Amino acid sequence: MRSARAIAHSNIALVKYWGKRAAVAGQTDDLNLPAVGSLSMTLDSLRSETQVGPSPADVFTLNGEAIEGGMATKVFRHLDRIWTARGEKGARPPCAVDSINHLPTSAGLASSASGFAALTLAGAGALELEASTATLSALARRGSGSASRSLWGGFVRLDRGELADGSDCVARQLFPADYWDVRLLVVHTARGKKAVGSTAGMEESRATSPYFDAWVATSEADLAAGEAALAARDLATLGAVMEQSMFKMHACMLATRPPILYWNGVTLEVLRALWEARQAGIEGYGTSDAGPHVKVLCASETAPKLEALLRGVPGVLAVDTVRPGPDAQVEVSP
Ligand code: DP6
Protein backbone atom coordinates (compact mmCIF):
# COMPACT_ATOMS: atom_id res chain seq x y z
CA MET A 1 0.00 0.00 0.00
CA ARG A 2 1.10 3.59 -0.65
CA SER A 3 0.27 7.07 0.65
CA ALA A 4 -2.01 9.38 -1.30
CA ARG A 5 -3.33 12.90 -0.81
CA ALA A 6 -6.40 14.21 -2.63
CA ILE A 7 -8.20 17.53 -2.87
CA ALA A 8 -11.85 17.68 -3.96
CA HIS A 9 -14.14 20.68 -4.14
CA SER A 10 -17.71 20.86 -2.92
CA ASN A 11 -20.59 21.31 -5.38
CA ILE A 12 -24.09 22.68 -5.46
CA ALA A 13 -26.89 21.06 -7.46
CA LEU A 14 -28.63 23.29 -10.00
CA VAL A 15 -31.01 20.43 -10.86
CA LYS A 16 -31.52 18.52 -7.62
CA TYR A 17 -31.06 14.96 -6.38
CA TRP A 18 -33.56 13.84 -3.74
CA GLY A 19 -34.58 10.22 -3.22
CA LYS A 20 -33.09 6.79 -3.77
CA ARG A 21 -34.30 4.06 -6.05
CA ALA A 22 -36.30 1.41 -4.21
CA ALA A 23 -34.01 -1.50 -3.31
CA VAL A 24 -34.24 -4.46 -5.69
CA ALA A 25 -34.84 -7.80 -3.96
CA GLY A 26 -31.57 -9.54 -3.20
CA GLN A 27 -29.48 -6.44 -3.85
CA THR A 28 -27.61 -4.54 -1.15
CA ASP A 29 -28.76 -0.98 -0.62
CA ASP A 30 -25.09 -0.11 -0.17
CA LEU A 31 -25.10 0.95 -3.86
CA ASN A 32 -26.86 4.23 -2.96
CA LEU A 33 -28.68 4.52 -6.29
CA PRO A 34 -30.47 7.85 -6.79
CA ALA A 35 -34.05 7.95 -8.10
CA VAL A 36 -33.15 10.95 -10.27
CA GLY A 37 -30.11 12.37 -12.06
CA SER A 38 -28.69 15.77 -11.10
CA LEU A 39 -26.66 18.65 -12.48
CA SER A 40 -24.21 20.67 -10.42
CA MET A 41 -21.60 23.39 -10.30
CA THR A 42 -18.34 22.64 -8.48
CA LEU A 43 -17.30 25.36 -6.02
CA ASP A 44 -13.91 26.98 -5.97
CA SER A 45 -13.01 27.91 -2.39
CA LEU A 46 -14.89 25.13 -0.57
CA ARG A 47 -12.83 21.94 -0.51
CA SER A 48 -11.73 18.86 1.42
CA GLU A 49 -8.15 17.61 1.61
CA THR A 50 -7.64 13.97 2.56
CA GLN A 51 -4.53 11.88 3.13
CA VAL A 52 -4.67 8.07 3.28
CA GLY A 53 -1.63 6.01 4.26
CA PRO A 54 -0.51 2.77 5.94
CA SER A 55 -0.92 2.51 9.71
CA PRO A 56 -0.80 -0.20 12.42
CA ALA A 57 -4.58 0.29 12.93
CA ASP A 58 -7.45 2.22 11.36
CA VAL A 59 -7.35 5.84 12.61
CA PHE A 60 -9.29 8.85 11.38
CA THR A 61 -8.74 12.53 12.11
CA LEU A 62 -10.98 15.36 10.93
CA ASN A 63 -9.57 18.89 11.09
CA GLY A 64 -6.82 17.51 13.37
CA GLU A 65 -9.20 15.87 15.85
CA ALA A 66 -9.36 12.08 16.33
CA ILE A 67 -12.84 10.74 15.49
CA GLU A 68 -14.32 7.37 16.50
CA GLY A 69 -17.66 5.72 15.63
CA GLY A 70 -20.24 7.52 13.40
CA MET A 71 -18.26 9.32 10.73
CA ALA A 72 -15.16 7.12 11.22
CA THR A 73 -17.24 3.99 10.61
CA LYS A 74 -18.48 5.46 7.32
CA VAL A 75 -14.95 6.40 6.28
CA PHE A 76 -13.55 2.90 6.87
CA ARG A 77 -16.56 1.23 5.26
CA HIS A 78 -15.81 3.35 2.20
CA LEU A 79 -12.17 2.18 2.16
CA ASP A 80 -13.49 -1.41 2.37
CA ARG A 81 -15.54 -0.75 -0.82
CA ILE A 82 -12.40 0.45 -2.59
CA TRP A 83 -10.49 -2.63 -1.42
CA THR A 84 -13.32 -4.93 -2.58
CA ALA A 85 -13.35 -3.13 -5.96
CA ARG A 86 -9.79 -4.45 -6.44
CA GLY A 87 -11.29 -7.94 -6.36
CA GLU A 88 -9.88 -8.60 -2.88
CA LYS A 89 -11.71 -11.03 -0.61
CA GLY A 90 -9.48 -10.72 2.47
CA ALA A 91 -9.16 -7.95 5.02
CA ARG A 92 -8.09 -4.49 3.89
CA PRO A 93 -4.75 -3.20 5.25
CA PRO A 94 -5.30 -0.79 8.17
CA CYS A 95 -5.18 2.89 7.18
CA ALA A 96 -4.57 6.31 8.68
CA VAL A 97 -7.01 8.85 7.21
CA ASP A 98 -6.47 12.55 7.87
CA SER A 99 -9.02 14.93 6.46
CA ILE A 100 -9.33 18.69 6.54
CA ASN A 101 -12.43 20.55 5.42
CA HIS A 102 -11.69 24.01 4.08
CA LEU A 103 -15.26 25.20 4.33
CA PRO A 104 -15.86 28.57 5.98
CA THR A 105 -17.22 27.61 9.40
CA SER A 106 -20.65 29.06 8.77
CA ALA A 107 -20.76 27.88 5.15
CA GLY A 108 -23.90 25.84 5.62
CA LEU A 109 -22.67 23.60 2.83
CA ALA A 110 -22.43 19.88 3.34
CA SER A 111 -18.88 18.57 3.43
CA SER A 112 -20.01 15.05 2.43
CA ALA A 113 -19.68 15.82 -1.31
CA SER A 114 -16.08 17.06 -1.18
CA GLY A 115 -15.21 14.73 1.72
CA PHE A 116 -16.24 11.46 0.04
CA ALA A 117 -14.82 12.55 -3.33
CA ALA A 118 -11.41 13.27 -1.74
CA LEU A 119 -11.57 10.03 0.28
CA THR A 120 -12.38 8.00 -2.86
CA LEU A 121 -9.42 9.42 -4.79
CA ALA A 122 -6.95 9.21 -1.91
CA GLY A 123 -8.23 5.74 -0.92
CA ALA A 124 -7.95 4.41 -4.48
CA GLY A 125 -4.44 5.89 -4.78
CA ALA A 126 -3.29 4.46 -1.45
CA LEU A 127 -4.87 1.03 -1.94
CA GLU A 128 -3.59 0.91 -5.52
CA LEU A 129 -6.92 0.46 -7.25
CA GLU A 130 -6.49 0.91 -10.99
CA ALA A 131 -9.85 2.35 -12.01
CA SER A 132 -11.45 4.49 -14.69
CA THR A 133 -12.94 7.83 -13.62
CA ALA A 134 -16.41 6.28 -14.17
CA THR A 135 -15.61 3.55 -11.64
CA LEU A 136 -14.24 6.12 -9.19
CA SER A 137 -17.39 8.22 -9.62
CA ALA A 138 -19.60 5.16 -8.94
CA LEU A 139 -17.51 4.41 -5.84
CA ALA A 140 -17.80 8.02 -4.60
CA ARG A 141 -21.59 7.80 -5.10
CA ARG A 142 -21.74 4.89 -2.68
CA GLY A 143 -20.23 7.18 -0.02
CA SER A 144 -22.62 10.04 -0.82
CA GLY A 145 -24.64 10.70 -3.99
CA SER A 146 -23.44 14.28 -4.36
CA ALA A 147 -19.79 13.16 -3.94
CA SER A 148 -19.82 11.48 -7.35
CA ARG A 149 -20.25 14.98 -8.86
CA SER A 150 -17.26 16.42 -6.96
CA LEU A 151 -14.64 14.46 -8.90
CA TRP A 152 -14.87 17.07 -11.63
CA GLY A 153 -14.67 20.81 -11.79
CA GLY A 154 -17.01 23.16 -13.60
CA PHE A 155 -20.46 21.87 -14.51
CA VAL A 156 -21.21 18.20 -13.91
CA ARG A 157 -24.09 15.83 -14.61
CA LEU A 158 -24.83 12.68 -12.63
CA ASP A 159 -26.95 10.32 -14.71
CA ARG A 160 -29.58 8.30 -12.92
CA GLY A 161 -28.75 5.18 -14.94
CA GLU A 162 -30.94 2.11 -15.31
CA LEU A 163 -28.74 -0.86 -14.41
CA ALA A 164 -29.33 -2.60 -11.11
CA ASP A 165 -25.59 -2.72 -10.33
CA GLY A 166 -25.29 1.09 -10.66
CA SER A 167 -22.46 0.91 -13.20
CA ASP A 168 -24.25 3.44 -15.47
CA CYS A 169 -25.05 5.76 -12.57
CA VAL A 170 -21.91 7.89 -12.88
CA ALA A 171 -21.10 11.57 -13.11
CA ARG A 172 -19.38 13.30 -16.02
CA GLN A 173 -18.16 16.80 -16.69
CA LEU A 174 -20.30 18.81 -19.11
CA PHE A 175 -18.17 21.97 -19.12
CA PRO A 176 -14.96 22.98 -17.31
CA ALA A 177 -14.74 25.74 -14.69
CA ASP A 178 -13.63 28.47 -17.12
CA TYR A 179 -16.57 27.77 -19.47
CA TRP A 180 -18.82 30.41 -17.93
CA ASP A 181 -18.01 33.39 -15.71
CA VAL A 182 -20.79 32.95 -13.18
CA ARG A 183 -20.83 33.26 -9.39
CA LEU A 184 -22.69 31.50 -6.62
CA LEU A 185 -23.65 33.66 -3.65
CA VAL A 186 -24.09 31.63 -0.46
CA VAL A 187 -26.63 33.47 1.67
CA HIS A 188 -26.51 32.33 5.32
CA THR A 189 -29.81 32.50 7.14
CA ALA A 190 -29.08 30.49 10.32
CA ARG A 191 -26.33 28.95 12.44
CA GLY A 192 -26.14 25.34 13.53
CA LYS A 193 -26.85 21.92 12.11
CA LYS A 194 -29.78 20.72 10.04
CA ALA A 195 -32.54 18.81 11.85
CA VAL A 196 -33.02 15.88 9.45
CA GLY A 197 -30.05 14.39 7.57
CA SER A 198 -30.60 14.12 3.82
CA THR A 199 -30.09 10.34 3.63
CA ALA A 200 -32.90 9.67 6.14
CA GLY A 201 -35.11 12.46 4.76
CA MET A 202 -34.93 11.05 1.24
CA GLU A 203 -36.12 7.65 2.37
CA GLU A 204 -39.03 9.19 4.28
CA SER A 205 -40.03 11.18 1.18
CA ARG A 206 -39.94 8.10 -1.04
CA ALA A 207 -42.01 6.13 1.43
CA THR A 208 -44.64 8.75 2.30
CA SER A 209 -44.69 11.85 0.05
CA PRO A 210 -47.56 11.75 -2.48
CA TYR A 211 -45.47 14.09 -4.65
CA PHE A 212 -42.45 11.78 -4.84
CA ASP A 213 -43.55 10.07 -8.08
CA ALA A 214 -44.25 13.42 -9.76
CA TRP A 215 -40.85 14.67 -8.61
CA VAL A 216 -39.14 11.66 -10.19
CA ALA A 217 -41.29 11.74 -13.36
CA THR A 218 -40.40 15.37 -14.16
CA SER A 219 -36.70 15.25 -13.32
CA GLU A 220 -35.32 13.99 -16.67
CA ALA A 221 -36.97 16.92 -18.50
CA ASP A 222 -35.40 19.36 -16.01
CA LEU A 223 -32.00 17.80 -16.58
CA ALA A 224 -32.33 18.08 -20.36
CA ALA A 225 -33.53 21.69 -20.14
CA GLY A 226 -30.79 22.58 -17.63
CA GLU A 227 -28.08 21.02 -19.77
CA ALA A 228 -29.34 22.80 -22.92
CA ALA A 229 -29.44 26.15 -21.08
CA LEU A 230 -25.89 25.60 -19.84
CA ALA A 231 -24.74 24.75 -23.37
CA ALA A 232 -26.27 28.05 -24.56
CA ARG A 233 -24.96 30.00 -21.49
CA ASP A 234 -28.57 31.09 -21.08
CA LEU A 235 -28.82 32.28 -17.46
CA ALA A 236 -32.54 33.13 -17.51
CA THR A 237 -33.53 29.67 -18.76
CA LEU A 238 -31.11 27.85 -16.46
CA GLY A 239 -32.33 30.00 -13.56
CA ALA A 240 -35.98 29.12 -14.22
CA VAL A 241 -35.17 25.38 -14.40
CA MET A 242 -33.05 25.64 -11.26
CA GLU A 243 -35.69 27.42 -9.18
CA GLN A 244 -38.41 25.02 -10.27
CA SER A 245 -36.29 21.95 -9.51
CA MET A 246 -35.64 23.37 -6.02
CA PHE A 247 -39.29 24.23 -5.38
CA LYS A 248 -40.43 20.79 -6.54
CA MET A 249 -37.88 19.12 -4.25
CA HIS A 250 -39.01 21.18 -1.25
CA ALA A 251 -42.69 20.57 -2.10
CA CYS A 252 -41.93 16.85 -2.08
CA MET A 253 -40.16 17.24 1.29
CA LEU A 254 -43.03 19.25 2.78
CA ALA A 255 -45.57 16.61 1.76
CA THR A 256 -43.53 13.91 3.54
CA ARG A 257 -45.05 12.42 6.72
CA PRO A 258 -43.93 13.85 9.13
CA PRO A 259 -43.15 16.98 7.06
CA ILE A 260 -39.55 17.88 6.30
CA LEU A 261 -39.17 21.65 6.48
CA TYR A 262 -35.61 22.90 6.05
CA TRP A 263 -36.45 26.57 5.48
CA ASN A 264 -36.86 29.38 7.97
CA GLY A 265 -38.58 32.75 7.51
CA VAL A 266 -35.40 34.40 6.25
CA THR A 267 -35.07 31.75 3.51
CA LEU A 268 -38.40 32.93 2.10
CA GLU A 269 -37.52 36.61 2.44
CA VAL A 270 -34.29 36.04 0.50
CA LEU A 271 -36.17 34.23 -2.28
CA ARG A 272 -38.69 37.08 -2.43
CA ALA A 273 -35.90 39.67 -2.50
CA LEU A 274 -34.38 37.82 -5.45
CA TRP A 275 -37.64 37.95 -7.38
CA GLU A 276 -37.97 41.66 -6.67
CA ALA A 277 -34.36 42.27 -7.71
CA ARG A 278 -35.04 40.50 -11.01
CA GLN A 279 -37.98 42.80 -11.67
CA ALA A 280 -35.59 45.71 -11.11
CA GLY A 281 -33.17 44.19 -13.66
CA ILE A 282 -30.69 42.61 -11.18
CA GLU A 283 -30.61 38.99 -12.31
CA GLY A 284 -29.99 36.14 -9.86
CA TYR A 285 -31.65 32.72 -9.34
CA GLY A 286 -32.00 30.85 -6.08
CA THR A 287 -31.66 27.29 -4.91
CA SER A 288 -31.56 25.67 -1.46
CA ASP A 289 -30.71 22.23 -0.14
CA ALA A 290 -31.29 20.27 3.05
CA GLY A 291 -30.94 23.44 5.11
CA PRO A 292 -32.22 27.02 5.38
CA HIS A 293 -29.50 28.79 3.37
CA VAL A 294 -30.08 30.16 -0.12
CA LYS A 295 -27.54 29.88 -2.92
CA VAL A 296 -27.86 32.34 -5.78
CA LEU A 297 -26.52 31.90 -9.30
CA CYS A 298 -25.68 35.11 -11.18
CA ALA A 299 -23.28 36.59 -13.72
CA SER A 300 -19.89 37.73 -12.29
CA GLU A 301 -20.67 41.39 -13.04
CA THR A 302 -23.97 41.21 -11.12
CA ALA A 303 -22.44 39.57 -8.02
CA PRO A 304 -21.27 42.69 -6.09
CA LYS A 305 -24.62 44.45 -6.47
CA LEU A 306 -26.65 41.37 -5.58
CA GLU A 307 -24.36 40.54 -2.66
CA ALA A 308 -24.92 44.03 -1.18
CA LEU A 309 -28.65 43.79 -1.74
CA LEU A 310 -28.95 40.37 -0.07
CA ARG A 311 -26.84 41.44 2.93
CA GLY A 312 -29.55 44.04 3.51
CA VAL A 313 -32.37 41.46 3.87
CA PRO A 314 -33.29 41.38 7.59
CA GLY A 315 -32.02 38.17 9.20
CA VAL A 316 -29.27 37.46 6.66
CA LEU A 317 -26.08 36.64 8.61
CA ALA A 318 -23.50 36.66 5.81
CA VAL A 319 -23.08 36.30 2.06
CA ASP A 320 -20.07 34.53 0.47
CA THR A 321 -19.30 34.74 -3.23
CA VAL A 322 -17.91 31.57 -4.82
CA ARG A 323 -16.62 30.84 -8.35
CA PRO A 324 -16.82 27.62 -10.39
CA GLY A 325 -14.12 25.28 -9.04
CA PRO A 326 -11.54 22.87 -10.52
CA ASP A 327 -11.31 19.08 -10.92
CA ALA A 328 -10.41 16.95 -7.91
CA GLN A 329 -6.72 15.99 -7.77
CA VAL A 330 -4.67 13.21 -6.26
CA GLU A 331 -0.93 12.75 -5.60
CA VAL A 332 0.41 9.29 -4.79
CA SER A 333 3.77 8.77 -3.10
CA PRO A 334 5.53 5.40 -2.93
C1 DP6 B 1 -30.51 18.27 -1.19
O1 DP6 B 1 -25.57 13.45 -1.53
O2 DP6 B 1 -25.86 14.29 0.83
O3 DP6 B 1 -28.14 18.46 -1.38
O4 DP6 B 1 -26.47 10.21 -1.12
O5 DP6 B 1 -27.70 10.15 1.02
O6 DP6 B 1 -25.33 10.97 0.98
P1 DP6 B 1 -26.64 10.83 0.23
O7 DP6 B 1 -27.20 12.30 0.04
P2 DP6 B 1 -26.47 13.66 -0.36
O8 DP6 B 1 -27.77 14.50 -0.81
C2 DP6 B 1 -27.74 15.73 -1.42
C3 DP6 B 1 -29.13 16.27 -1.48
C4 DP6 B 1 -29.26 17.73 -1.86
C5 DP6 B 1 -29.40 17.92 -3.35
C6 DP6 B 1 -28.19 17.67 -4.20
O9 DP6 B 1 -27.05 17.93 -3.78
O10 DP6 B 1 -28.40 17.23 -5.35
Side-chain angles (χ1 to χ4, degrees):
M1 138 166 221
R2 298 181 290 186
S3 276
R5 183 174 155 271
I7 298 179
H9 291 249
S10 187
N11 72 76
I12 194 81
L14 307 177
V15 176
K16 300 292 183 191
Y17 148 48
W18 188 255
K20 324 268 184 192
R21 279 192 239 168
V24 175
Q27 180 191 296
T28 70
D29 59 1
D30 183 52
L31 288 174
N32 195 28
L33 293 172
V36 294
S38 49
L39 195 151
S40 61
M41 180 174 121
T42 301
L43 305 175
D44 186 31
S45 48
L46 313 174
R47 62 193 193 280
S48 297
E49 219 176 298
T50 299
Q51 168 103 27
V52 178
S55 166
D58 278 348
V59 278
F60 173 50
T61 68
L62 180 62
N63 299 331
E65 214 179 289
I67 307 277
E68 283 179 19
M71 194 59 202
T73 310
K74 285 189 186 171
V75 163
F76 295 116
R77 196 190 308 143
H78 198 61
L79 292 180
D80 290 342
R81 291 181 185 122
I82 294 171
W83 185 245
T84 308
R86 273 176 49 123
E88 303 284 348
K89 299 254 181 302
R92 162 183 62 75
C95 299
V97 180
D98 299 295
S99 196
I100 295 182
N101 286 331
H102 299 275
L103 302 170
T105 37
S106 64
L109 285 165
S111 54
S112 72
S114 52
F116 274 105
L119 179 65
T120 304
L121 285 185
L127 294 168
E128 302 179 59
L129 170 70
E130 296 295 333
S132 65
T133 45
T135 302
L136 291 172
S137 171
L139 272 169
R141 183 202 71 231
R142 292 171 65 187
S144 185
S146 50
S148 64
R149 303 186 306 235
S150 269
L151 293 186
W152 288 275
F155 301 88
V156 179
R157 177 169 173 161
L158 171 62
D159 290 309
R160 176 194 186 275
E162 297 301 327
L163 299 174
D165 69 358
S167 55
D168 58 347
C169 179
V170 295
R172 59 198 158 93
Q173 186 182 62
L174 297 176
F175 301 103
D178 61 1
Y179 169 75
W180 201 8
D181 196 21
V182 288
R183 296 289 180 272
L184 192 88
L185 311 183
V186 183
V187 185
H188 307 277
T189 67
R191 292 193 178 84
K193 282 195 134 190
K194 60 191 173 197
V196 182
S198 39
T199 309
M202 284 182 195
E203 271 313 276
E204 289 167 18
S205 288
R206 184 175 64 78
T208 68
S209 177
Y211 299 159
F212 187 76
D213 290 347
W215 158 250
V216 172
T218 56
S219 163
E220 276 302 308
D222 289 347
L223 284 165
E227 184 171 341
L230 255 182
R233 296 193 184 86
D234 177 346
L235 185 62
T237 304
L238 179 61
V241 171
M242 188 179 142
E243 286 196 351
Q244 213 212 352
S245 171
M246 179 268 290
F247 281 120
K248 281 193 288 190
M249 178 181 80
H250 283 276
C252 178
M253 292 166 168
L254 283 169
T256 300
R257 266 199 325 262
I260 302 172
L261 171 59
Y262 286 116
W263 290 344
N264 59 31
V266 185
T267 314
L268 293 174
E269 292 310 325
V270 170
L271 291 170
R272 259 189 229 287
L274 272 181
W275 292 352
E276 280 164 20
R278 289 215 293 268
Q279 279 175 350
I282 307 169
E283 199 185 2
Y285 299 89
T287 188
S288 85
D289 293 286
H293 312 294
V294 182
K295 292 98 178 195
V296 179
L297 187 71
C298 65
S300 61
E301 59 273 18
T302 316
K305 213 185 247 180
L306 205 48
E307 188 178 325
L309 189 149
L310 294 171
R311 275 187 211 278
V313 175
V316 166
L317 302 173
V319 182
D320 295 323
T321 299
V322 188
R323 296 163 184 258
D327 289 349
Q329 287 172 31
V330 61
E331 273 169 37
V332 180
S333 36

